Amino acid sequence: MASYAKETIEFMKLALEQANDALVNLEVPVGCVIVEDGEVIASGRNRTNETRNATRHAEMEAIDFLVEQWQKDGLSPLEVSERFSKCILYVTCEPCIMCAAALSYIGIKEAYYGCGNDKFGGCGSILSLHTSCSELPASEFASSKKGFKCTGGIMASEAVSLLRSFYEQGNPNAPKPHRPLKQQV
Amino acid sequence: MKNTESVSPQITHIPEKPSFLPHLQPTVNVLAAVIEPQDANTLVRKLNQIAPLENLRHVKRVRKKCIDGGKPQLSLLLSLAVENDAGVLELVKSYQLSTFITKVCKYAATSKEEWDEQCKLWPTSYHPPTHNISGITGFSEEESQSVFGFMRHTVDLATSSVGQVVNAAVIVDSSTNQVIASACDQVISSPSLANEVSKEGICSNYLENLNQQTLLLDGSIEESKHIINNVACVHPWRWALQSFGCCRPLRHAAIVAIEYSAARDRQLFPDYKALSPLKRQKIEESDSQSNGHSSESLRPYLCTGCDIYLAWEPCAMCAMALVHQRVRRIFFSSPNSNAGALGSVHRLQGERSLNHHYAVFGVVLPEDVFRNKVLDAKTAGSG
């Protein structure tokens, strides 16, 4: 832990606060913040149960907030893309395959995550959507696959314990489990 | 599924793993050794602990061979050839095993033919598929017509704006055959796109539209690359090149359709709030006591039991979104070699760790329907 910059820990704590907010609202506790030039410009947390839309993950919430914001500010797509390319994401759990793809599409600069996601992870666990394919000429680069730097394991145990308390209380929106809920760790 | 004669060849199941000719299945090298029969039990037990075959669960640990009709010879699979597991090496040493490298098939067999070939290398187990998703074993004529109908509608949507092709998504409740949500890509807003089209001087009329449909259906995409520049799932990184207008990079057709279906759900069942499991259990108990059929208990969970039709094979973002939303079956018309995640670049339906699995089908529409439409339009135009 000590090897991470103090700043990284501070931003991850804010992401954990978001995750905790999700937990309080009976959502899967994953949260994130997006940082530009050292400043938090967006935050998000899981809203899948509230919206009944299972794609409303923390990352999608935060990205959509920024897209809407920048739309209102009259930014052109090129400008939006330039802004995203300066952004760093801090998220409590490894982005799933959907979110990892989305982060690549918007061209985010970097991502830090807490715990790994060995069922759905799109940043190395199941697929590696954060790696770019090859060096391309600048003319083609703009419209081709974008990679982003990805670092995991920041305050992972805090992220895991939030998830654990959620699954112990049970996902209120999931269908009836076939097996009884586990009470132990 | 009634009989094989009514199965249409134009709806193709896209399986969980790439298909190989039975004798060309991929293999991996493993470390093995001939053992004494009396040691077999002990060794297998020990190996299952120190070197479990995580990704080769279909491969049997022991091979039995009869030499010259005489006494059987047993070979034991120790580990993958690349692994130099200390525990395995110790076992080799203490039992004085002379090891050799051999090949086993990498994936579990999906047919009897594959299995027969596999066992020539090294014995494997074979479990015939026990799918319960309808369509995997074939479609009746009636089912095929229904699939074609929805796909036609989807392709119409994808080509409905003049001079361009986008992706379109149509979600169908398969129990009622009712469309519950449909959407086109909303990555680039339409008004500005219409401007762009006229600027580039693309001939935009009805016939042009139909031609595009034909191109789409023919799969002769190479010749019409520029036409598909706006298909979000094919070019998910391309939005940034747009020099004007407004742009929502993640609003791919499938994502928008999911959003619409969720909004519909909230509208139809407004009172269904997230409850603690205990409260919910109480409600469900009282429901079942009264008569068991409150409207809430009929509410489906997400898109369980729904099919989605897409003009184009979805990208990784959309394909995973459809896993999250628990879609039952995916039908798409055109493969997406650039970024497709259901067989072209990735194959999400084969990722066993995901908590939900849908069945995937490629649909080739009977294209003469569209060709005739084009011809009709031409005749009408000249007359």
Side-chain angles (χ1 to χ4, degrees), chain B residues 168-246:
Chain B
V170 175
I171 301 178
V172 175
D173 179 340
S174 50
S175 62
T176 57
N177 260 0
Q178 187 192 3
V179 173
I180 63 166
S182 62
C184 287
D185 287 338
Q186 295 179 357
V187 170
I188 297 157
S189 63
S190 307
S192 59
L193 187 76
N195 286 338
E196 185 194 41
V197 167
S198 58
K199 262 188 212 161
E200 286 179 4
I202 293 172
C203 168
S204 47
N205 58 29
Y206 179 64
L207 196 62
E208 177 81 3
N209 237 356
L210 286 173
N211 276 328
Q212 284 171 11
Q213 285 182 352
T214 317
L215 283 170
L216 192 69
L217 299 167
D218 277 352
S220 44
I221 289 152
E222 290 305 311
E223 299 156 30
S224 56
K225 264 191 171 152
H226 70 281
I227 292 178
I228 64 167
N229 272 346
N230 293 318
V231 179
C233 281
V234 180
H235 293 291
W237 295 276
R238 209 172 187 285
W239 64 272
L241 293 185
Q242 197 75 13
S243 52
F244 53 86
C246 75

Side-chain angles (χ1 to χ4, degrees), chain A residues 12-22 92 162:
Chain A
M12 191 56 84
K13 278 185 183 162
L14 294 176
L16 283 162
E17 271 177 31
Q18 288 291 319
N20 196 54
D21 185 43
T92 57
L162 280 174

Side-chain angles (χ1 to χ4, degrees), chain A residues 8 15 25 27 38 46 51 57 61 66 70 74 76 81 84 92 96 99-100 108 114 116 148 152 155 163 167 177 180:
Chain A
T8 307
N25 287 282
E27 298 277 359
N46 213 309
T51 57
H57 288 188
E61 288 280 316
L66 287 178
W70 291 338
S76 72
S81 152
F84 274 131
T92 57
C96 77
C99 292
I108 205 150
F148 53 94
M155 303 185 76
L163 287 165
Y167 285 107

Side-chain angles (χ1 to χ4, degrees), chain A residues 25-26 48-57 60 63-64 67-68 71 75-78 80-81 84 96-99 101-107 118-120 126-129 139 141-146 169-176 181, chain B residues 233 235-252 255 258-259 262-263 265-267 269-277 280 284 299 301-302 315-318 320-326 339 346 348 351 353-355:
Chain A
N25 287 282
L26 303 176
T48 55
N49 288 338
E50 175 196 329
T51 57
R52 302 181 203 174
N53 178 343
T55 72
R56 297 318 296 167
H57 288 188
M60 303 296 268
I63 293 169
D64 281 0
V67 168
E68 290 306 316
Q71 207 93 121
L75 266 59
S76 72
L78 187 69
V80 168
S81 152
F84 274 131
C96 77
I97 289 167
M98 172 186 74
C99 292
L103 292 167
S104 162
Y105 299 167
I106 63 164
D118 62 356
K119 297 265 187 285
F120 309 116
I126 306 298
L127 296 181
S128 292
L129 298 166
S139 58
F141 177 76
S143 63
S144 49
K145 187 181 172 187
K146 292 188 183 78
Q169 73 179 19
N171 182 349
N173 253 31
K176 267 190 188 165
L181 293 169
Chain B
C233 281
H235 293 291
W237 295 276
R238 209 172 187 285
W239 64 272
L241 293 185
Q242 197 75 13
S243 52
F244 53 86
C246 75
C247 190
R248 296 179 171 86
L250 303 184
R251 289 188 73 74
H252 292 204
I255 299 283
I258 287 173
E259 184 185 296
D265 186 14
R266 295 196 303 269
Q267 203 177 7
F269 304 100
D271 300 327
Y272 201 88
K273 298 208 174 67
L275 301 172
S276 75
R280 180 154 166 212
E284 277 166 0
R299 179 192 157 237
Y301 176 62
L302 302 173
C315 67
M317 177 180 74
C318 292
M320 191 62 199
L322 295 168
V323 172
H324 288 318
Q325 201 68 10
R326 304 291 195 276
H346 306 289
L348 248 56
E351 297 293 345
S353 69
L354 306 184
N355 64 349

Side-chain angles (χ1 to χ4, degrees), chain A residues 84-118:
Chain A
F84 274 131
S85 71
K86 295 195 293 172
C87 286
I88 303 175
L89 170 82
Y90 297 83
V91 59
T92 57
C93 183
E94 178 187 350
C96 77
I97 289 167
M98 172 186 74
C99 292
L103 292 167
S104 162
Y105 299 167
I106 63 164
I108 205 150
K109 183 186 175 195
E110 209 173 338
Y112 291 92
Y113 65 83
C115 57
N117 183 342
D118 62 356

Side-chain angles (χ1 to χ4, degrees), chain B residues 57-74:
Chain B
R57 289 180 190 279
H58 59 288
V59 178
K60 301 231 162 137
R61 203 100 218 196
V62 177
R63 177 176 68 179
K64 193 176 182 180
K65 251 189 184 172
C66 289
I67 307 161
D68 307 327
K71 72 170 204 234
Q73 185 195 56
L74 293 188

